[in-house]
Amino acid sequence: KYFALVTSLSPSKLYLQLLFTQLVANSENKCTACVLRFFFLADRIVQEQCCVTVLEDNMCTTGINLAKEQGACDSLFTNTCETKTTKMCCDCCLLGKTAQDQGLPFDNSLSVGYQCGLVSRACSVDGVPDNQTAPTGQTELIRYQHVCVAFPGKCAHSCVSKDTCACLKGFKLKPDGKSCEDINECLLGASNCRGGERCINTEGSFRCQREVSCGTGYELTDNNNCKDIDECETGIHNCGPEFECQNTQGSFRCIPKVKCGDGYIQDALGNCIDINECVSQAGPCHRGQVCINTVGSYICQRNSVNCGRGYHLNEDGTRCVDIDECKGPEKVCAGHGCINQVGSYRCECESGYIFNSISRLCEDINECRHYPGRLCAHKCENTLGSYKCSCTTGFKLAADGRNCDDLNECESNPCSQECANVYGSYQCYCRRGYQLSDIDGMTCEDIDECALPTGGHICAYRCHNTPGSFHCSCPVSGYTLALNGRSCQDIDECVTGTHTCAENQSCFNVQGGFRCLSFECPNNYRPARLERSDTIRCIKTCQPSDVACVLDPTHSVSHTFISLPTFRDFTKPEEIVFLRTTVPAYGSYHLGSYDVKFDILEGNVDNAFDIIKRVENGMYVGVVRQVRSLIGPLTTVLKLSMRNLTTQGDSGQNIINVHVFVSEFWF
């Protein structure tokens, strides 16, 4: 029955019993006071180990306090069972304090045992400055060791009970309830760094680092504060041998060793300089006395009689009498009237002057400044006692001496040709064919119309500049000047009868000349009469027995001529000859039965011509075009072919010879 009662105790009740055992052990300092009654065997073992653990904690605390207070563990050489734990904790604490003194973090990898490592780490951070956190002390580290004896290895740092773990200061428990992670005090704002210091997180703690340097005359201490540098004590001052160094906050001063007496002041080099008390002090002497400076001091002397301005001592030297400045040797009013006054004088200034009571002189009145724009119409110039007026360019002074009248500059003939007077100025003009000079604006220069950008288009052939004008000319022969005086007209020698063609030749007019041509029809061809006189056509006429003539495909041979200019700006094809046919383009027999073909057989110089076929008024027309410019003089004969095509082949052709004469000129 008792066994069932004991074993049915809950873990919390068992924990309360352990705490009671711990209190008894702390108060009695021995485990024999823990009466083992009414416990099952397992419960008795737990109670006994709890008591022993509390005693070991007390002995460990004694060793830690001894290491902190005395800094040595020599008194624990008696290696008895009772002092073994005390000496171990004392030595381990000294190990941690040594690491702290050398500024080194405690190495957790040292194989000194679990409990020794806890004590060393606690002592290595014990006593850190207030603005830095420290891990938990050794008491906190081992506070719950006796509770966790029965559950070793469960918690990373320490445990509170069987099911609860705790972390050291500066750490927090992870979600797994066992592991611990560092708390970033800087990120959470939990640091106590001062202004001007930057928080730097460390493992389980943090440290404060100063951001701004201390400045000249200060140095940074270990506790992150600025301390004044005593330049006098360290000997880094620059005071000379005649001075003593006196330290100040952030700097120092050089005090002269030799002190100056009264009446002297010491300069930066230690020299004593006399003080002028008569200047530096306000009224050092009594009224009626005058101050005289001396070396290191001053004296006061009685003031002698001093008459004011405008007075002087009488012959007896007893009183001051008025001075008549108007009768003196000095001409005080300089040509103006002078009136003496008691102790002074005044000047009766002439017109245009004013009396200055301070300088006591007659000064000129600047009328131009006092009455701006009211005295003169244009410009006002001040003179002594008066003023004078003047006019700007293009005007002359009027009879009243104040106003300005317009000046007619054209009367002096300033322009080389025409002059127009304007108010206050004049304007030069030039006759037609002249232009005003850009240099003086008065001279007229001839305009070279032939040299203007458009000069090449003024005359068809040549431009000749003349003073104030120009004239055009044409080639010596073949042309005459048109009525507009600029263009060149071709002379038709064939019409005027000035040609030299023979009776058996035909005269053909070309641009700039004429050609005498004689065309005869070949054998088996006869001439046909045409309305146009510039075209000759020969039609084939065969004898019935002349088989070769009948089989010749050429039905007719024609001669015509055309005169072309030399194109200066050739931009598009120029249509020059039209070959008209009587073949309908859309007849009932057109589809594959009958057609016309045009070709250039000979004389196409530089491929400057082509021939195309098109339809006009329902009929086929061959158009000869000039597609490239030709530079004359040049003569060529374009031999053109106009063939009639049927489904059986060529049914015949007509030959047209076009005599092309390209002129030397573009007109």
Side-chain angles (χ1 to χ4, degrees):
K1 181 179 179 181
Y2 174 72
F3 175 78
L5 178 62
V6 173
T7 54
S8 64
L9 290 176
S10 62
S12 59
K13 293 181 179 180
L14 178 60
Y15 176 64
L16 293 175
Q17 291 180 0
L18 293 178
L19 291 179
F20 173 76
T21 303
Q22 178 183 358
L23 295 174
V24 172
N26 286 330
S27 60
E28 300 291 340
N29 201 22
K30 56 184 179 179
C31 289
T32 56
C34 300
V35 181
L36 306 176
R37 61 182 184 273
F38 307 115
F39 280 87
F40 189 63
L41 177 60
D43 299 332
R44 179 184 62 78
I45 294 174
V46 171
Q47 184 180 18
E48 179 180 333
Q49 292 300 320
C50 176
C51 184
V52 172
T53 301
V54 172
L55 293 179
E56 289 180 352
D57 289 349
N58 293 337
M59 288 185 286
C60 185
T61 302
T62 303
I64 293 173
N65 293 334
L66 184 62
K68 291 182 177 181
E69 296 171 359
Q70 299 182 6
C73 304
D74 298 340
S75 60
L76 302 175
F77 270 127
T78 55
N79 195 7
T80 62
C81 182
E82 290 79 7
T83 61
K84 183 176 181 180
T85 302
T86 303
K87 188 174 187 306
M88 183 271 294
C89 291
C90 181
D91 291 339
C92 294
C93 184
L94 286 179
L95 179 63
K97 286 178 65 63
T98 301
Q100 177 192 3
D101 294 341
Q102 296 179 359
L104 301 174
F106 180 74
D107 191 356
N108 294 322
S109 63
L110 294 177
S111 300
V112 293
Y114 177 70
Q115 186 174 5
C116 181
L118 293 177
V119 173
S120 297
R121 184 164 62 250
C123 290
S124 66
V125 297
D126 189 28
V128 295
D130 294 339
N131 62 349
Q132 300 187 25
T133 61
T136 317
Q138 52 84 22
T139 304
E140 185 178 354
L141 285 170
I142 60 177
R143 179 180 299 170
Y144 299 108
Q145 274 189 343
H146 58 279
V147 180
C148 305
V149 169
F151 315 103
K154 177 182 178 182
C155 299
H157 284 186
S158 61
C159 62
V160 178
S161 65
K162 176 182 178 182
D163 299 320
T164 306
C165 295
C167 296
L168 303 180
K169 188 176 182 180
F171 295 87
K172 63 180 179 181
L173 202 63
K174 287 187 177 181
D176 59 4
K178 299 179 181 180
S179 304
C180 295
E181 62 178 351
D182 173 57
I183 298 175
N184 192 335
E185 295 84 357
C186 301
L187 186 61
L188 298 177
S191 67
N192 55 354
C193 295
R194 296 171 295 185
E197 294 180 341
R198 180 166 57 94
C199 177
I200 300 177
N201 187 59
T202 59
E203 185 72 19
S205 181
F206 68 93
R207 62 187 178 90
C208 299
Q209 179 175 317
R210 189 179 182 88
E211 291 186 332
V212 183
S213 63
C214 293
T216 305
Y218 293 90
E219 62 181 351
L220 192 65
T221 61
D222 295 337
N223 59 0
N224 217 25
N225 292 324
C226 290
K227 175 185 176 183
D228 173 58
I229 299 175
D230 191 343
E231 294 86 355
C232 301
E233 182 179 349
T234 57
I236 59 176
H237 61 86
N238 59 352
C239 295
E242 302 298 327
F243 295 85
E244 291 181 355
C245 178
Q246 180 182 352
N247 186 61
T248 60
Q249 283 294 323
S251 184
F252 63 93
R253 298 180 63 185
C254 297
I255 309 298
K257 294 180 180 179
V258 179
K259 305 297 182 182
C260 296
D262 295 337
Y264 293 91
I265 187 172
Q266 206 157 25
D267 62 5
L269 299 178
N271 301 320
C272 294
I273 302 174
D274 173 56
I275 299 175
N276 190 345
E277 295 84 356
C278 298
V279 177
S280 61
Q281 299 182 19
C285 297
H286 296 293
R287 186 176 181 181
Q289 293 180 331
V290 61
C291 177
I292 300 175
N293 184 61
T294 61
V295 178
S297 183
Y298 67 96
I299 58 175
C300 295
Q301 290 183 353
R302 185 175 181 82
N303 193 7
S304 60
V305 178
N306 183 19
C307 295
R309 182 178 179 180
Y311 295 89
H312 64 94
L313 285 174
N314 60 3
E315 294 179 358
D316 298 334
T318 57
R319 62 189 180 89
C320 296
V321 295
D322 174 58
I323 298 174
D324 190 351
E325 294 86 355
C326 297
K327 296 181 179 180
E330 297 181 3
K331 302 298 181 181
V332 291
C333 290
H336 297 273
C338 179
I339 300 175
N340 185 57
Q341 295 177 338
V342 177
S344 180
Y345 70 94
R346 63 182 302 271
C347 297
E348 287 289 340
C349 300
E350 296 181 357
S351 177
Y353 293 88
I354 188 171
F355 182 69
N356 190 329
S357 59
I358 298 176
S359 64
R360 312 194 69 77
L361 296 173
C362 288
E363 296 179 349
D364 173 58
I365 298 175
N366 191 336
E367 296 85 357
C368 299
R369 188 191 309 168
H370 280 75
Y371 312 104
R374 296 165 58 185
L375 301 178
C376 301
H378 283 189
K379 295 189 294 183
C380 178
E381 182 181 352
N382 185 60
T383 60
L384 287 176
S386 184
Y387 67 94
K388 66 177 182 178
C389 298
S390 61
C391 300
T392 57
T393 304
F395 294 88
K396 61 182 179 179
L397 199 62
D400 59 3
R402 300 177 60 184
N403 294 309
C404 294
D405 295 333
D406 176 53
L407 179 64
N408 189 354
E409 295 88 352
C410 295
E411 293 178 354
S412 59
N413 296 322
C415 303
S416 63
Q417 288 188 2
E418 303 295 335
C419 177
N421 184 60
V422 295
Y423 187 73
S425 184
Y426 66 97
Q427 180 65 50
C428 294
Y429 294 95
C430 297
R431 303 184 187 97
R432 184 176 180 180
Y434 294 87
Q435 62 183 359
L436 206 59
S437 173
D438 294 333
I439 299 176
D440 57 10
M442 296 184 294
T443 306
C444 291
E445 299 174 346
D446 173 55
I447 298 175
D448 189 354
E449 295 84 356
C450 301
L452 294 175
T454 58
H457 301 285
I458 293 178
C459 297
Y461 181 54
R462 286 180 182 172
C463 177
H464 304 275
N465 186 59
T466 59
S469 184
F470 68 96
H471 72 272
C472 300
S473 64
C474 295
V476 178
S477 62
Y479 293 93
T480 183
L481 195 63
L483 295 177
N484 60 10
R486 299 188 181 187
S487 303
C488 291
Q489 273 185 334
D490 173 57
I491 299 175
D492 192 343
E493 294 85 355
C494 300
V495 175
T496 59
T498 57
H499 62 85
T500 58
C501 296
E503 293 183 358
N504 61 342
Q505 292 179 328
S506 299
C507 178
F508 294 94
N509 184 62
V510 296
Q511 294 186 20
F514 62 94
R515 292 291 185 273
C516 297
L517 302 178
S518 177
F519 300 110
E520 293 183 359
C521 293
N523 295 330
N524 298 324
Y525 289 87
R526 63 177 178 82
R529 297 185 63 181
L530 298 175
E531 295 180 358
R532 295 182 56 182
S533 60
D534 58 351
T535 302
I536 296 176
R537 185 178 183 187
C538 299
I539 301 175
K540 184 175 71 172
T541 303
C542 298
Q543 297 295 328
S545 60
D546 192 347
V547 178
C549 178
V550 173
L551 297 178
D552 185 2
T554 302
H555 294 163
S556 67
V557 176
S558 301
H559 293 273
T560 187
F561 75 94
I562 185 172
S563 179
L564 299 175
T566 294
F567 286 104
R568 291 192 299 183
D569 300 321
F570 195 85
T571 57
K572 62 180 181 178
E574 189 77 16
E575 298 179 351
I576 58 175
V577 177
F578 297 89
L579 305 179
R580 303 186 184 278
T581 68
T582 58
V583 179
Y586 307 106
S588 58
Y589 51 87
H590 171 64
L591 299 175
S593 62
Y594 200 68
D595 199 356
V596 180
K597 183 178 181 181
F598 301 94
D599 288 310
I600 299 177
L601 303 180
E602 296 176 3
N604 193 359
V605 180
D606 296 334
N607 292 322
F609 303 94
D610 70 355
I611 187 169
I612 61 174
K613 181 175 68 174
R614 68 185 181 203
V615 177
E616 290 184 4
N617 299 323
M619 303 293 180
Y620 284 122
V621 177
V623 181
V624 179
R625 304 184 306 172
Q626 182 180 355
V627 295
R628 295 178 61 183
S629 62
L630 290 174
I631 307 301
L634 184 143
T635 301
T636 184
V637 178
L638 285 178
K639 187 175 183 179
L640 308 179
S641 168
M642 183 174 64
R643 292 184 294 167
N644 298 324
L645 304 178
T646 62
T647 54
Q648 289 79 23
D650 292 351
S651 63
Q653 68 174 354
N654 298 302
I655 301 299
I656 302 96
N657 296 299
V658 180
H659 298 259
V660 180
F661 303 100
V662 180
S663 172
E664 179 182 357
F665 308 104
W666 63 272
F667 44 82

